[in-house]
Amino acid sequence: MPSPQASANPCQACGACCATFRVSFYWADAEARGLPPTLTEQVTPWLGCMAGTNHRKPRCVALAGAIGSEVGCRVYEQRPEPCREVQAGDSQCLKARARHGLPALSATG
């Protein structure tokens, strides 16, 4: 059974986006947000990504828990902009949930 926090935020009971997409950002954004260098990878001289997301089967190293069960981000407050942009029920959310065999969410959760 999901925790009360997961009920309030469907992302806390999902995590599919964190294990579907490469999370890319301008390299200086990681330092500006306080992300530890061990959690990022360099993609190009100007582009970085969250470690683990630049793989054929991506999974962000900051993701804790089991996809579709109960998850959390170890660096939620420092997460980069691409992580902040995905919203429960939006097109990226729906793609990620489908990839992991999870039912679609409405845009309101």
Side-chain angles (χ1 to χ4, degrees):
M1 172 177 243
S3 68
Q5 184 179 8
S7 299
N9 181 352
C11 299
Q12 297 288 43
C14 182
C17 62
C18 305
T20 299
F21 305 112
R22 182 174 78 182
V23 180
S24 305
F25 44 84
Y26 178 63
W27 69 270
D29 289 346
E31 186 176 329
R33 291 197 184 274
L35 280 169
T38 56
L39 297 183
T40 64
E41 298 175 4
Q42 188 171 353
V43 178
T44 72
W46 304 276
L47 192 65
C49 71
M50 290 300 294
T53 66
N54 196 26
H55 297 254
R56 185 175 173 98
K57 291 185 178 183
R59 182 181 170 110
C60 183
V61 297
L63 180 65
I67 305 297
S69 181
E70 190 168 336
V71 297
C73 176
R74 293 185 183 111
V75 292
Y76 187 79
E77 293 303 317
Q78 292 87 22
R79 72 195 189 283
E81 197 59 34
C83 300
R84 296 167 187 270
E85 291 173 357
V86 176
Q87 298 295 313
D90 73 7
S91 63
Q92 293 296 83
C93 168
L94 298 177
K95 287 180 204 173
R97 289 181 64 84
R99 179 176 181 196
H100 291 276
L102 299 171
L105 291 177
S106 66
T108 59

